[in-house]
């Protein structure tokens, strides 16, 4: 293997004339014979079989050492992406010239064999052959892809010293290389110095800015380009890439309109890019419209849509889309697609679907993939099947940090804090260093289990024992740990002593603790910080309003709700989903127009009556509106998880575990009612709320009423 630093130095010596060139031996002259092999013959070879026939004729004719013919043959093989055959011909050419080396370098680079291209380039330079324009433009993409700064700059310096430095192909490749290296200013300098520019040059500079997050500059250059040149697919893709992470629907729709207007709306890559953009700004329905109109859908498009449905919490569409995907013969599942599907099963609590995907992983031969392995562990843990998660984990031949993190987090969510700590310590004993996510998982486990001293010890020793510096998530876990335990002053002290500027997660953890322990004064102060950091997040306004309501401060409730309305914010409705026979059903709080509501309502009335006989009393403090008692009861009885549980009890056999996933934290009333339901109906209820699991059995909860 060529050492890249040596290659850069070696190349610099040769461009300065320090190293003598190697003399090439005389090439046998077959001129009269090769006239029969006109170059146009090779240009017409587009398929492997005709190329092989010409190759055979060359060998039979005794011309296999004619460098010019071999170069043309190599080029034909390389154009058909037959790089192995190209390499074989190159290796037997006795008198290789610059063209021979350049063809193979270009072939390697275009087939994604960037390291091989770099190593071959180094060997060529060491042989005394210096690159020409074609060689340079062929190797620059590989240099950019591998981020070899020193070699890239050396090659640029060499090129500047040549008399033929104004070459549109080389300069375009230099622009693209600098964009890959993360130097958009250097890319712009090369671009501005070009006397001639084509669509490739413009695409390269637009990509340079979009690839480095400079959206406004990319769009400005695009508009400038349109004045003189027609855009192509690469231009559109660069423009789409430029807006990733912007989160502005208006920009997305404008680009979509431009795509349609320019006639690129039937291009699969462009359509896939637009789907990703719409999903990025949470307009999944718009993405789905594009998806449905695509004549050809590859696994990337299918997986993107699945991710969109998962992110939007549309669990019924997650399952429906997954089933359609499985029924499509053209879709060949890869590890990325399977990870996306497992993520959907994990988020929705769809255990049956998750088991099916696990079987697909085995069927497709991905059992040894550690990335998939961590996703399988996460899926089982998020469906409260910790036993299956452990068994899979223990059966893995190779485990990386992500696998350990998934199991640690699963134990934490189910309240097994001591087990999570044991796993964490065992991981270190086996010589596997924890990462930032590992510490987040174990600190969160301590928080959910009330293991304050253990959590503080781990946090205080992050740097000394594990060489990890706390980030925002670690601080949020510690604030949550102290806040749940009622140590609000200590939690506030942690925030004031942070070496980082406290973020939304940190203040959000403290605000939740203020609500749980009724600290209005501190809650108001923390809320103001959150309103400054994230003024359009409705959840923090609602949380402050609830803090006021719990203390009976109606003026505070009124003023907070007026502020909420003045900002035209919308509250996320409570939603719960349940999987039955492979289908996911979703219920919203107080959703009385649900098609199954009448059936559920009758059963729900009987359910409430039966648990009241056992001792259940509605907790009116869980209703923050100032309304009559009867209306408070109606609101409580129609919380989304109660609707989902009632439906599950109706549609499943006695003894079946009821699994419900909800998007908000469990309220006190639902937590209390679930304990009674598990006792009266003799069922185990597994409720996954926004933060953790609650496993109800025989009138008790796994959280020990600490959540």
């Amino acid at each position: 293997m060529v050492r890249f630093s040596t290659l850069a130095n070696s190349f610099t010596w040769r461009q300065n004339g320090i190293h003598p060139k190697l003399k090439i031996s005389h090439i046998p002259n077959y001129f009269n014979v090769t006239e029969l092999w006109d170059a146009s013959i090779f240009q017409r070879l587009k398929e492997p079989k005709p190329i092989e026939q010409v190759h055979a004729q060359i060998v039979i004719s005794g011309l296999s050492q004619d460098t010019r013919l071999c170069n043309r043959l190599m080029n034909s093989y390389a154009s058909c992406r037959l790089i192995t055959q190209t390499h074989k011909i190159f290796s037997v050419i006795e008198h290789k010239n610059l063209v021979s080396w350049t063809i193979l370098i270009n072939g390697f680079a275009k087939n994604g064999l960037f390291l091989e291209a770099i190593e071959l380039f180094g060997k060529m330079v060491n042989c005394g052959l210096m690159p020409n324009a074609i060689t340079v433009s062929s190797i620059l993409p590989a240099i950019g892809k591998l981020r070899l700064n020193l070699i890239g700059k050396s090659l640029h310096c060499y090129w500047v010293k040549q008399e033929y430095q104004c070459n549109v192909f080389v300069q375009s490749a230099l622009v693209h290389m600098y964009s890959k290296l993360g130097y958009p200013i250097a890319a712009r300098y090369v671009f501005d110095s070009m006397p001639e520019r084509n669509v490739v040059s413009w695409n390269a500079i637009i990509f340079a800015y979009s690839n480095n997050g400079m959206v406004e500059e990319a769009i400005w250059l695009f508009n400038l380009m349109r004045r003189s040149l027609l855009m192509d697919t690469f231009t559109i893709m660069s423009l789409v890439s430029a807006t990733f992470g912007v989160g502005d629907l208006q920009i997305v729709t404008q680009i979509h309109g431009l795509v349609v207007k320019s006639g690129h709306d039937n291009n699969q890559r462009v359509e896939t890019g637009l789907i990703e953009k719409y999903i990025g700004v949470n307009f999944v329905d718009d993405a789905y419209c594009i998806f449905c109109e695509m004549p050809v859908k590859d696994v990337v498009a299918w997986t993107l849509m699945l991710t969109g449905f998962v992110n939007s919490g549309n669990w019924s569409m997650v399952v429906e889309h997954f089933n359609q995907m499985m029924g499509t013969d053209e879709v060949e599942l890869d590890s990325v697609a399977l990870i996306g599907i497992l993520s959907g099963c994990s988020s929705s609590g769809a255990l049956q679907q998750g088991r099916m995907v696990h079987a697909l992983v085995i069927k497709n031969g991905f059992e040894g993939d550690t990335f998939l392995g961590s996703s399988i562990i996460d899926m089982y843990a998020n469906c409260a099947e910790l036993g299956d998660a452990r068994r899979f984990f223990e059966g893995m031949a190779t485990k990386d940090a992500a696998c350990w993190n998934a199991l640690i987090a699963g134990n934490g969510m189910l309240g097994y804090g001591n087990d999570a700590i044991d796993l964490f310590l065992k991981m270190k004993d086996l010589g596997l260093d924890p990462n930032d996510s590992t510490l987040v998982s174990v600190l969160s486990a301590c928080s959910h289990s009330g293991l304050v001293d253990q959590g503080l010890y781990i946090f205080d020793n992050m740097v000394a024992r594990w060489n990890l510096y706390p980030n925002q998530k670690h601080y949020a876990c510690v604030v949550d740990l102290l806040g749940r335990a009622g140590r609000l002053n200590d939690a506030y002290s942690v925030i004031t002593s942070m070496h980082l500027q406290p973020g939304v997660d940190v203040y959000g953890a403290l605000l939740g603790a203020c609500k749980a322990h009724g600290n209005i004064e501190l809650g108001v102060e923390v809320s103001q910080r959150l309103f400054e950091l994230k003024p359009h997040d409705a959840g923090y306004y609602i949380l402050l309003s609830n803090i006021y309501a719990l203390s009976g401060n109606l003026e505070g409730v009124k003023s907070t709700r007026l502020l909420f309305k003045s900002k035209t914010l919308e509250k996320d409705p409570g939603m719960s989903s349940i999987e039955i026979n492979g289908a996911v059903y979703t219920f919203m709080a107080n959703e009385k127009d649900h098609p199954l509501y009448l059936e559920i309502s009758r059963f729900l009335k009987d359910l409430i009556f039966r648990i009241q006989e056992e001792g259940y009393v509605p907790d009116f403090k869980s209703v923050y509106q100032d309304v009559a008692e009867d209306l408070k009861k109606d609101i409580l009885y129609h919380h989304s998880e109660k609707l989902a549980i009632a439906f599950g009890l109706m549609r499943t056999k006695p003894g079946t575990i009821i699994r419900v996933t909800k998007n908000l934290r469990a309220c006190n009333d639902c937590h209390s009612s679930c304990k009674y339901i598990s006792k009266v109906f003799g069922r185990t209820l597994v409720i996954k709320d926004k933060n953790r699991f609650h496993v109800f059995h025989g009138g008790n909860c796994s959280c020990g009423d600490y959540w």
Side-chain angles (χ1 to χ4, degrees):
M1 182 179 290
V2 176
R3 291 183 178 272
F4 295 140
S5 58
T6 305
L7 172 55
N9 293 333
S10 174
F11 182 73
T12 305
W13 294 336
R14 281 154 182 74
Q15 62 167 302
N16 290 331
I18 297 173
H19 193 286
K21 292 186 178 180
L22 182 68
K23 292 183 179 179
I24 306 298
S25 302
H26 175 68
I27 299 174
N29 186 6
Y30 295 112
F31 181 77
N32 293 332
V33 180
T34 54
E35 279 186 326
L36 300 173
W37 299 90
D38 188 85
S40 62
I41 294 175
F42 290 90
Q43 292 172 359
R44 293 196 297 269
L45 298 177
K46 304 295 183 184
E47 299 293 334
K49 190 171 182 179
I51 299 173
E52 290 168 355
Q53 290 172 345
V54 172
H55 188 180
Q57 189 62 43
I58 289 173
V59 174
I60 292 169
S61 303
L63 303 174
S64 56
Q65 280 303 313
D66 187 299
T67 304
R68 188 158 55 120
L69 273 178
C70 288
N71 287 345
R72 289 176 178 173
L73 187 61
M74 283 174 60
N75 195 50
S76 296
Y77 274 126
S79 65
C80 291
R81 306 181 72 86
L82 300 172
I83 198 64
T84 302
Q85 291 89 325
T86 310
H87 195 193
K88 284 179 180 178
I89 297 171
F90 175 84
S91 62
V92 299
I93 299 176
E94 185 177 350
H95 305 294
K96 302 175 181 68
N97 59 16
L98 181 60
V99 176
S100 313
W101 290 89
T102 300
I103 290 170
L104 187 55
I105 289 169
N106 188 51
F108 278 144
K110 285 189 174 179
N111 284 275
L113 302 170
F114 302 115
L115 187 59
E116 290 83 350
I118 294 291
E119 291 182 342
L120 187 67
F121 180 78
K123 290 177 182 178
M124 183 194 80
V125 173
N126 286 331
C127 287
L129 289 174
M130 299 309 291
N132 62 14
I134 300 174
T135 319
V136 172
S137 58
S138 297
I139 196 61
L140 285 172
I143 293 171
K145 194 71 175 180
L146 297 177
R147 295 183 174 275
L148 304 176
N149 295 14
L150 183 58
I151 297 176
K153 291 175 182 177
S154 296
L155 191 54
H156 188 187
C157 290
Y158 161 78
W159 184 254
V160 169
K161 291 180 180 179
Q162 308 308 305
E163 295 179 358
Y164 40 85
Q165 60 177 299
C166 294
N167 182 292
V168 67
F169 300 106
V170 172
Q171 290 177 301
S172 297
L174 281 168
V175 172
H176 193 71
M177 179 198 73
Y178 279 121
S179 73
K180 285 289 187 181
L181 294 177
Y183 300 133
I185 305 304
R188 182 61 183 272
Y189 175 81
V190 176
F191 179 80
D192 288 342
S193 67
M194 295 175 67
E196 176 190 356
R197 300 174 187 136
N198 57 18
V199 68
V200 176
S201 317
W202 282 96
N203 288 346
I205 191 61
I206 292 171
F207 176 81
Y209 282 115
S210 66
N211 191 51
N212 289 281
M214 304 170 77
V215 180
E216 292 182 2
E217 291 86 347
I219 294 174
W220 181 81
L221 282 166
F222 169 75
N223 290 325
L224 194 63
M225 171 190 174
R226 292 174 65 193
R227 298 176 186 175
S228 56
L229 287 170
L230 290 174
M231 58 188 147
D232 60 10
T233 302
F234 294 102
T235 318
I236 294 292
M237 287 306 300
S238 294
L239 197 62
V240 172
S241 299
T243 57
F244 281 128
V246 175
D248 190 333
L249 177 64
Q250 186 177 1
I251 292 177
V252 182
T253 53
Q254 286 175 350
I255 293 174
H256 190 181
L258 184 65
V259 167
V260 174
K261 186 177 179 180
S262 61
H264 289 86
D265 51 322
N266 288 322
N267 183 284
Q268 186 174 345
R269 287 184 61 203
V270 173
E271 289 177 314
T272 303
L274 285 171
I275 289 172
E276 189 171 2
K277 269 307 300 173
Y278 275 117
I279 289 172
V281 293
N282 297 318
F283 276 74
V284 181
D285 290 342
D286 296 81
Y288 193 52
C289 287
I290 298 174
F291 175 83
C292 291
E293 292 174 0
M294 290 176 71
V296 179
K297 305 175 181 71
D298 61 8
V299 68
V300 177
W302 281 95
T303 307
L304 270 175
M305 276 314 312
L306 189 74
T307 303
F309 291 131
V310 169
N311 293 343
S312 65
N314 192 341
W315 310 127
S316 59
M317 278 304 297
V318 168
V319 175
E320 181 181 331
H321 187 75
F322 168 72
N323 290 333
Q324 288 178 357
M325 187 176 177
M326 293 300 96
T328 304
D329 296 333
E330 295 79 13
V331 176
E332 185 176 348
L333 291 174
D334 57 13
S335 59
V336 177
L338 289 166
I339 288 170
I341 299 167
L342 283 166
S343 175
C345 297
S346 177
S347 300
S348 61
L351 178 62
Q352 296 175 44
Q353 298 289 339
R355 292 193 191 281
M356 189 187 305
V357 180
H358 186 181
L360 284 171
V361 170
I362 297 171
K363 181 180 178 181
N364 286 278
F366 292 115
E367 295 166 273
D369 190 313
T370 53
F371 292 104
L372 266 171
S374 62
S375 296
I376 291 171
I377 295 166
D378 180 71
M379 181 274 295
Y380 280 125
N382 273 284
C383 293
E385 287 294 318
L386 200 56
D388 287 338
R390 282 182 176 276
R391 279 188 288 275
F392 181 83
F393 174 84
E394 290 166 359
M396 294 180 72
T398 305
K399 309 176 186 74
D400 63 3
C403 299
W404 287 87
N405 295 350
L407 192 59
I408 291 169
N411 278 275
M413 284 191 297
L414 283 159
Y416 303 126
N418 286 315
D419 291 341
I421 293 173
D422 289 343
L423 281 167
F424 171 67
L425 297 175
K426 185 178 179 182
M427 174 183 178
K428 180 65 176 175
D429 291 340
L430 292 173
L432 187 61
D433 291 330
N435 56 26
D436 288 343
S437 298
T438 315
L439 269 296
V440 170
S441 297
V442 74
L443 288 172
S444 178
C446 292
S447 177
H448 288 149
S449 304
L451 303 175
V452 179
D453 292 338
Q454 295 92 321
L456 289 176
Y457 175 81
I458 291 170
F459 178 77
D460 291 338
N461 287 275
M462 279 182 63
V463 178
R465 289 197 61 182
W466 298 290
N467 197 31
L468 292 170
Y469 288 86
N471 60 28
Q472 293 283 352
K473 290 184 178 180
H474 299 126
Y475 279 111
C477 287
V478 172
V479 170
D480 188 58
L481 173 75
L482 293 166
R484 286 174 187 268
R487 295 169 57 174
L488 299 184
N489 291 333
D490 291 337
Y492 188 73
S493 295
V494 169
I495 294 177
T496 56
S497 63
M498 283 176 63
H499 71 283
L500 303 169
Q501 188 68 29
V504 171
D505 291 341
V506 175
Y507 282 123
L510 184 56
L511 184 60
C514 290
K515 173 181 175 291
H517 297 283
N519 191 324
I520 302 174
E521 184 179 350
L522 184 57
V524 172
E525 180 184 341
V526 173
S527 295
Q528 296 307 316
R529 303 285 180 86
L530 284 166
F531 296 161
E532 293 170 6
L533 290 170
K534 210 167 183 181
H536 301 295
D537 191 317
Y540 299 124
Y541 293 88
I542 294 166
L543 195 52
L544 177 60
S545 175
N546 293 345
I547 291 172
Y548 280 128
L550 283 170
S551 66
N553 188 335
L554 298 181
E555 285 300 317
V557 173
K558 185 178 179 181
S559 62
T560 306
R561 291 188 176 177
L562 286 173
L563 182 62
F564 178 88
K565 289 179 180 178
S566 69
K567 294 182 177 293
T568 63
L569 303 176
E570 291 185 7
K571 175 185 175 183
D572 290 333
M575 297 176 65
S576 296
S577 60
I578 182 170
E579 181 192 29
I580 298 176
N581 296 327
V584 175
Y585 300 85
T586 302
F587 299 89
M588 291 176 61
N590 296 303
E591 188 182 13
K592 296 183 179 180
D593 57 349
H594 193 283
L596 299 170
Y597 175 72
L598 291 177
E599 182 184 0
I600 295 171
S601 178
R602 288 191 292 268
F603 187 91
L604 190 59
K605 287 179 181 178
D606 178 65
L607 182 151
I608 297 296
F609 177 76
R610 291 177 64 179
I611 63 175
Q612 281 180 332
E613 284 192 323
E614 193 64 32
Y616 162 72
V617 177
D619 182 4
F620 293 134
K621 288 184 179 180
S622 296
V623 180
Y624 303 109
Q625 297 95 315
D626 185 22
V627 294
E629 190 172 288
D630 286 345
L631 189 53
K632 286 185 178 182
K633 283 184 180 180
D634 189 69
I635 291 170
L636 288 174
Y637 297 164
H638 288 86
H639 276 190
S640 63
E641 55 263 62
K642 289 191 180 77
L643 296 172
I645 291 168
F647 183 69
L649 291 170
M650 290 165 48
R651 292 295 178 91
T652 58
K653 296 177 181 179
T656 305
I657 297 175
I658 304 294
R659 301 174 186 276
V660 174
T661 300
K662 62 173 296 176
N663 64 330
L664 304 176
R665 291 188 68 178
C667 73
N668 290 333
D669 182 76
C670 285
H671 194 269
S672 173
S673 64
C674 284
K675 290 197 287 186
Y676 283 103
I677 291 170
S678 69
K679 182 178 180 181
V680 171
F681 289 86
R683 296 286 194 101
T684 297
L685 309 180
V686 179
I687 312 297
K688 181 190 175 188
D689 70 10
K690 186 178 181 181
N691 288 345
R692 62 165 299 157
F693 277 102
H694 300 269
V695 181
F696 299 93
H697 182 76
N700 297 305
C701 180
S702 60
C703 74
D705 296 339
Y706 185 88
W707 84 99

